[in-house]
Every structure is written in structure tokens, then in C-alpha cells.
Amino acid sequence: MGKIELPKLPYSYDALEPYIDKQTMEIHYTKHHQGYVNNYNNAVTGTPLENKTLEEVFKEVSKHPAAVRNNGGGVWNHSLFWTIMKKNGGGIPSGKLADAINSAFGNFDEFKNKFTNAAATRFGSGWAWLIVQNGKLAVTSTPNQDNPIMDVAEQKGIPILGLDVWEHAYYLKYQNRRPEYIENWWNVVNWDEVASRFNSIK
Ligand code: MN3
């Protein structure tokens, strides 16, 4: 597939204000995400991985150098992250996704509590995820830039929602108050995109 390119941000840097501030969004996208793209390309150029998709690489990521795992994950995770947020997001999902959430967790609030807890208790840097495993939903988290597609993940599945809890995602606005960042983030979740990802899996 050749060189990975930074995907276009689907909204302006200030679109998710006041929950995610403009400066954080700009630095996160132009420095962090771009950095993962550049470093991944540097790590795979001239190797057999150059022509593989990220998903193919993740299935055997334990065999590859740390730069491939960390930067490849950084590329994929942020590419998902931007799409599952939008201006005037939030609320609760409907349709088949809502049914699947109720079936897996009891109700939306139980799901939200479980996901919030996974994000809040992930020690250090990492991500919280809503994943699809054999057609069923589950909540999990991963350290650093790992994700549940990777062979190294404790709990594997296909992520349809992810929350970045690295300090770079919230520190300028929230400093050490990760729980406040998580609580506010629910106001920008793009449930249409999450549902679309869910519906495309089965
Ligand atoms: Mn990040």
C-alpha cells in the first residue's frame, strides 16, 4: 500500500470546543498524529512491511520492531479517534448498536460506566475501547499505542469506539483531571460513525 498518509481531520481544530480545546486538537493532529505517520513510514520503508496494511501488520506485530508497533498503533488509533467524534455529538446510540449495547451491558448507563472506568483506570498512557468480538460487544483498554487488533492485546476484537487517555490528549485543558476529560468527551461522541462501524462488521 506504500506510504501511509495523514488522513484529513473531518472538522476544524475548534469544532469540539469547549470539550476538547483548539490548541490541544491542533497539536494532537499536526504533531502527534503526523509524527506517528512519519515514524511508521521510516520504520517500514524498504522492509517487507511496506506493502502491508496496518491491520495485516498488527496481526503479527509481536514479531516486528517496537517502532512498528508504537507508531503503527499511533497511526491507526488516531485515525479512528478523529472519526468517532463530532461537533454537537453525544447523546445515546439507537438501532442495532443500541440493542447490542443493551444486550452486552444491560443498558447504556452501565456501558458508559464500564467504559469510563476502563479509561480512568488505564495506568499511564493508553486507550479505552469498545470492541466487537464474535459479534458481541466488550469494553477493554490497552497500554501505549497498542490496540485490540494487535496479537499482543490481552483482549482482542475490532474497535468501533476508542478514547485516547494519553496526557497529550487532555493536559493543556484538564491538567491532571483525566476523569473530567472523560466525562466531557461523551458530549462529542459521534454515535452515527460508531453505529456505521458496528453495522459494517457482521
Ligand atoms: Mn494521542
Side-chain angles (χ1 to χ4, degrees):
M1 66 182 291
K3 290 255 182 192
I4 300 269
E5 288 185 10
L6 183 68
K8 210 167 153 47
L9 195 67
Y11 34 73
S12 59
Y13 297 133
D14 63 357
L16 307 182
E17 290 266 13
Y19 308 111
I20 297 180
D21 61 286
K22 180 182 179 184
Q23 188 184 18
T24 295
M25 182 57 76
E26 182 164 5
I27 294 171
H28 204 171
Y29 175 72
T30 65
K31 305 296 183 192
H32 293 277
H33 198 182
Q34 181 72 67
Y36 296 124
V37 169
N38 296 346
N39 292 332
Y40 183 79
N41 285 329
N42 289 338
V44 301
T45 299
T47 80
L49 301 183
E50 191 174 14
N51 297 313
K52 292 191 172 178
T53 65
L54 286 170
E55 289 84 355
E56 288 169 340
V57 170
F58 292 163
K59 283 178 187 149
E60 298 186 322
V61 84
S62 57
K63 297 180 181 171
H64 304 312
V68 170
R69 172 173 169 180
N70 294 335
N71 293 295
V75 172
W76 195 96
N77 297 348
H78 291 86
S79 299
L80 172 98
F81 189 47
W82 311 136
T83 68
I84 57 82
M85 299 188 289
K86 69 171 183 180
K87 188 180 183 70
N88 300 322
I92 59 171
S94 57
K96 284 194 326 193
L97 176 60
D99 295 342
I101 285 175
N102 293 338
S103 157
F105 306 105
N107 57 52
F108 180 77
D109 284 342
E110 290 294 324
F111 153 70
K112 189 176 167 183
N113 287 341
K114 193 164 187 187
F115 189 98
T116 295
N117 189 53
T121 59
R122 166 46 60 189
F123 184 76
S125 298
W127 292 75
W129 305 102
L130 175 63
I131 60 172
V132 182
Q133 254 176 342
N134 306 319
K136 281 203 67 180
L137 293 174
V139 165
T140 186
S141 74
T142 55
N144 305 311
Q145 295 294 0
D146 287 358
N147 67 48
I149 307 173
M150 292 181 175
D151 64 353
V152 292
E154 274 175 38
Q155 197 174 1
K156 292 183 190 58
I158 300 169
I160 58 172
L161 177 70
L163 175 57
D164 188 343
V165 294
W166 282 58
E167 286 185 347
H168 69 225
Y170 62 88
Y171 212 84
L172 290 176
K173 181 178 175 73
Y174 297 99
Q175 292 83 50
N176 61 322
R177 306 186 305 278
R178 189 194 285 189
E180 191 182 327
Y181 159 67
I182 297 167
E183 191 55 38
N184 279 345
W185 171 79
W186 291 104
N187 293 305
V188 296
V189 173
N190 181 351
W191 286 112
D192 290 339
E193 173 66 20
V194 181
S196 160
R197 287 174 179 269
F198 176 67
N199 293 333
S200 72
I201 288 172
K202 283 180 273 185

